[in-house]
Structures are given as C-alpha cells and as structure tokens.
Amino acid sequence: MTFIRYHVRHETLYQYDQVVGESHHLLRLTPRALPWQRNLEHHLAISPEPSARRSFLDCFGNRITKIHFTADHEYLEIISEFWVELRARPKPSASAAKVPWETVRDSLRYRADRTFPPDHLQATAFRFVSTNVPIDSQYAAYAREAFLPGRPLVEAAEDLMRMIHRDFRFDATATETFTPVEQAFKARRGVCQDFSHIMIACLRSVGLAACYMSGYILTHPPEGKERLVGADATHAWVAVFVPDFGWLELDPTNALRPDLEHITLGWGRDFSDITPMRGVLLGGGEHEPEIAVTVVPEEEFASLYEDGETYLEELSPG
C-alpha cells in the first residue's frame, strides 16, 4: 500500500509588551491517530519551561497539552515537530454514495421514540448551531443549488464544495480569526477557515451533520522556486457525515477530497473547538504571535534543512 511520510514543524513565538505574571494555555498540536494516518514521532518544545504541564483528550478525542506558568516571563516559544505517515483515505461504497441527502437528513432528526445508532448519535452533535457557525435560511438557499430533490448526499456535498470554490475568492486580508461567517459569506471572500465555516453552515442549514477539520496541507512552491522553511500555514477543511461510511472529508478552498497531502490535527464543531493554541494571561500588554509552519515530504527533508541528513537519522522512523 502506498504511503507518504511528512515532517511538520510548527513554530509559535509571543514577544510580550509587558511581563506576564501568570498564564494558562491549551495546545492542540498533536496529530490524530487515524486508520490512514500514523503519528510516528512528536516533540513539543516549550520555552520558558512551564510550571505545570499535562496531557488529556477533549470530548472529540483530540489530544490537548495544558501548560501553566506561575513565574514572570516576557516571551513564550512553542515548537511542535513531528513525523507522520499517510495512506490513502477510504472512499464510500457505491451504495453509501447513492443515498439521497434527504434520507440522511431525516435519519438525523430527533423523534421521541427513535433510538439512534451510535454513529448517528455521535453525528448529531455536529448538526446544530455552534460558536462560529450559525444556521440560517440564507445558507440553506445557497446550498439548494447543489442539494436538489433526491440527489445523493455525496454528489451534492461535492457540488457544494465546488460552488464555494467557484463563488468565493481567497483573500488573506478580507477577514480575521473571529470574523463572523455572515460577513465572509456576504463579501464572498476570505481564507480556508471562512470557507470551511460557510460550507458547514450550509450543510447544517439543510439538516446535515458537518464538522470542522484542522491540520496542514502540503503546499507546492512556484515552478522553478525552492521550498522555503516557515512558508506554510495551518489549514482547515470540512467533513460531512455519510451513513454506512463515516465522515467524508471535503476541502472547499481547493475543491478536492483530502487524501495524501492533508495532515489531520483534529476536529470539532468549528474553529473555536480546535484552535492550535488558546490561553489566558495576567499581563502581557499588546502581543501578536509570530507563526512559521513547514510541511515537507521525507524525500525533501535532508536538502531543505542545513543539518538535514543528521537530523533525518535522529528523527525519521526507520
């Protein structure tokens, strides 16, 4: 079976304007273990050394590292570095791919005398309004172009993905981290986070279950240019619940099904459930993070990093 190994380095640096006396942070930087994704090795370097550190799983099964600082500090640097192995994701069977979207919608609706199968019960948590994803008739109206009567869910969801890719412009200056979905929807522009929230809003507004996927994507430098360290970014995409299959991943930013170039950190109802880093500070003043992400295939690793060959021997799993 074909597989690809990647090395990912995610660097975050906060330089505080004022001394921070105490702080708490939740880090979601550990890649998920999945049937098609194997976390081979993960290192999480934190400076200064936290006063306390522990790890646990959240309600969605994402690995969280909780850190607590009680001593004064003027900066915080976090470097997450890991090797991951990807194999091709499974595809829905022919029968699962033919199920009409209304049938799926109706199977997720609450009824007093209904007993939900475990997978449907889990999926219902991703059917409703969440912090950053509203349910509204405007999103349902937009989705109706794809969700025609009797159309298979898989076909309609893929069409919706392509519609968003067609109708919305990628513009890194148009939105910020917590820009409301409605604003990005009306402006018809934004970034991967916005497109994912919009697609989830559309799917939930027609009664389906959809979750927000967080991770990384392999980017390709322009022809004739070399790959640059720190030039990548985190990425977001969507998964829709398909009965008798599970969660079908779709990337509206790139109009494709994620496969061997999408690395999964985790998932939640929307971005607020799966932020890579969130914290509460006492002090600090004004501060913005400096973030650098590098995703590199194993075969390019040695040539990208100055000490790559030695480093590869130390970190590469076999």
Side-chain angles (χ1 to χ4, degrees), residues 204-227:
R204 292 182 186 168
S205 293
V206 297
L208 298 168
C211 67
Y212 182 98
M213 306 293 298
S214 175
Y216 309 94
I217 186 173
L218 177 68
T219 58
H220 299 276
E223 188 175 352
K225 301 290 186 181
E226 295 182 354
R227 187 179 303 279

Side-chain angles (χ1 to χ4, degrees), residues 110-130:
Y110 172 77
R111 195 174 63 219
D113 60 347
R114 168 174 287 170
T115 300
F116 286 98
D119 58 341
H120 283 63
L121 185 61
Q122 180 196 51
T124 57
F126 299 92
R127 254 198 71 214
F128 304 106
V129 171
S130 57

Side-chain angles (χ1 to χ4, degrees), residues 224-264:
K225 301 290 186 181
E226 295 182 354
R227 187 179 303 279
L228 300 177
V229 173
D232 298 319
T234 55
H235 190 54
W237 60 99
V238 174
V240 61
F241 177 69
V242 178
D244 298 320
F245 170 70
W247 294 91
L248 178 67
E249 298 176 49
L250 300 167
D251 183 347
T253 305
N254 297 290
L256 52 77
R257 284 192 193 181
D259 198 17
L260 292 174
E261 295 188 348
H262 286 66
I263 300 164
T264 306

Side-chain angles (χ1 to χ4, degrees), residues 64-302:
I64 295 180
T65 301
K66 182 178 181 181
I67 55 177
H68 179 203
F69 296 89
T70 57
D72 289 354
H73 53 287
E74 298 178 343
Y75 76 97
L76 175 59
E77 182 179 41
I78 296 172
I79 300 175
S80 173
E81 195 165 16
F82 62 84
W83 285 97
V84 68
E85 182 178 280
L86 298 186
R87 298 177 185 270
R89 285 163 165 79
K91 298 179 181 179
S93 66
S95 58
K98 292 179 180 178
V99 177
W101 71 269
E102 299 100 329
T103 301
V104 180
R105 175 200 62 194
D106 294 345
S107 74
L108 294 170
R109 282 178 169 167
Y110 172 77
R111 195 174 63 219
D113 60 347
R114 168 174 287 170
T115 300
F116 286 98
D119 58 341
H120 283 63
L121 185 61
Q122 180 196 51
T124 57
F126 299 92
R127 254 198 71 214
F128 304 106
V129 171
S130 57
T131 304
N132 292 307
V133 176
I135 290 177
D136 191 271
S137 59
Q138 64 179 327
Y139 306 115
Y142 178 79
R144 291 298 182 192
E145 182 180 328
F147 285 86
L148 301 173
R151 194 175 191 188
L153 167 60
V154 171
E155 183 181 310
E158 288 191 321
D159 199 11
L160 174 63
M161 170 188 72
R162 289 188 289 268
M163 285 168 51
I164 293 172
H165 181 73
R166 176 196 70 197
D167 296 341
F168 290 77
R169 178 182 172 186
F170 189 92
D171 182 352
T173 66
T175 58
E176 298 179 351
T177 301
F178 293 104
T179 296
V181 174
E182 184 176 10
Q183 183 176 322
F185 183 72
K186 289 181 177 179
R188 291 296 196 266
R189 60 182 60 211
V191 296
C192 60
Q193 175 182 305
D194 303 301
F195 302 156
S196 296
H197 281 156
I198 289 166
M199 185 168 178
I200 293 169
C202 291
L203 291 166
R204 292 182 186 168
S205 293
V206 297
L208 298 168
C211 67
Y212 182 98
M213 306 293 298
S214 175
Y216 309 94
I217 186 173
L218 177 68
T219 58
H220 299 276
E223 188 175 352
K225 301 290 186 181
E226 295 182 354
R227 187 179 303 279
L228 300 177
V229 173
D232 298 319
T234 55
H235 190 54
W237 60 99
V238 174
V240 61
F241 177 69
V242 178
D244 298 320
F245 170 70
W247 294 91
L248 178 67
E249 298 176 49
L250 300 167
D251 183 347
T253 305
N254 297 290
L256 52 77
R257 284 192 193 181
D259 198 17
L260 292 174
E261 295 188 348
H262 286 66
I263 300 164
T264 306
L265 274 178
W267 55 77
R269 292 164 299 180
D270 58 43
F271 174 75
S272 64
D273 285 334
I274 191 62
T275 51
M277 181 172 172
R278 170 175 288 182
V280 179
L281 314 178
L282 181 61
E286 295 292 328
H287 53 274
E288 289 293 332
E290 299 174 30
I291 299 174
V293 176
T294 307
V295 179
V296 57
E298 184 179 30
E299 61 270 17
E300 296 181 31
F301 183 84

